[in-house]
Amino acid sequence: MEIPDPTGVADPGFRRVLLVGTGALSVAFLPFWTNWLNNTFPEMEKRVVLTRAARRFVSAEAISVLSGREVFTDDWNEADPGTAPHVELAGWPDLVLVHPATMHFLSRYALGLTDTPLLCALQSTTALVGVAPSLPPGAQLSPVLRGHLDTLRARPGVVVAPTVPAVSASTGEREDGGAAPLSELMGLCVGAYARARRGEEE
């Protein structure tokens, strides 16, 4: 089924999109969202990065077929000898979408850690970065996590999507910690880009 462009604009302003999946269970839907990006924004170049934890829940081979490019695993050992994957990942995209973003990933990103190629790239890229948190039950009560989210919301060039109600696979209870749809995250990033452009022109 073709999903309409939720942004309501013909040109979202992005040409190269890096889609990142981390180790939340909802990363299993990443093939669907990869296909959605292809259908909704066919003119964009897309690349996909998976963390090692994400590869427990989703097939890199399936995403590679859908994206038309090899999927990069976020591990220094996956890089070819003599290459600098963090430099390429930082310089290639003009938009990074982290969907879903686990509590562990959000914390490391907010703290400025650079222990993987992707995190190193995100700390130095000039691309707009959108993240969709996917949180375990009760995590939103954590003052530490709230502090990390506040840090990211205040960081220039970063967009944090609100969480949405979702049924926890562990407890069976409906919790307000699910990752927002990728379509919503994309819309928020397009809006942030448009506002930044207007600010430059004023």
Side-chain angles (χ1 to χ4, degrees), residues 2 28 45 50 63 71 117 132 138-139 169 176-177 187 191:
E2 184 175 350
E45 294 183 66
L50 296 176
I63 295 177
V71 172
D176 185 21

Side-chain angles (χ1 to χ4, degrees), residues 6-198:
T7 64
V9 294
D11 181 4
F14 304 110
R15 295 292 175 265
R16 296 181 301 277
V17 179
L18 186 67
L19 181 59
V20 178
T22 72
L25 180 58
S26 58
V27 78
F29 299 108
L30 203 59
F32 170 86
W33 288 118
T34 302
N35 197 50
W36 175 83
L37 276 175
N38 288 336
N39 290 336
T40 310
F41 304 104
E43 73 286 356
M44 289 182 183
E45 294 183 66
K46 296 98 177 172
R47 297 178 66 178
V48 180
V49 174
L50 296 176
T51 65
R52 286 210 167 273
R55 293 191 64 155
R56 296 179 300 164
F57 301 123
V58 68
S59 165
E61 289 76 11
I63 295 177
S64 179
V65 171
L66 291 168
S67 66
R69 302 189 66 158
E70 184 177 356
V71 172
F72 180 75
T73 300
D74 187 28
D75 189 314
W76 293 111
N77 294 323
E78 294 294 319
D80 294 329
T83 62
H86 59 296
V87 176
E88 183 180 4
L89 291 174
W92 182 82
D94 47 25
L95 174 65
V96 181
L97 299 173
V98 185
H99 187 280
T102 62
M103 183 175 175
H104 183 57
F105 181 89
L106 291 166
S107 299
R108 291 158 65 217
Y109 182 29
L111 289 170
L113 299 185
T114 58
D115 54 342
T116 71
L118 177 67
L119 280 172
C120 190
L122 291 184
Q123 305 299 353
S124 56
T125 188
T126 58
L128 183 67
V129 180
V131 295
S134 178
L135 307 175
Q140 301 215 52
L141 301 176
S142 166
V144 174
L145 177 64
R146 290 202 301 268
H148 289 328
L149 290 173
D150 287 344
T151 294
L152 292 176
R153 291 187 186 105
R155 186 175 296 179
V158 177
V159 174
V160 180
T163 54
V164 300
V167 176
S168 168
S170 300
T171 67
E173 299 293 329
R174 194 168 181 80
E175 305 277 351
D176 185 21
L182 185 69
S183 53
E184 181 177 340
L185 178 61
M186 184 69 178
L188 292 171
C189 290
V190 170
Y193 174 82
R195 287 191 297 274
R197 288 294 301 271
R198 287 197 299 269

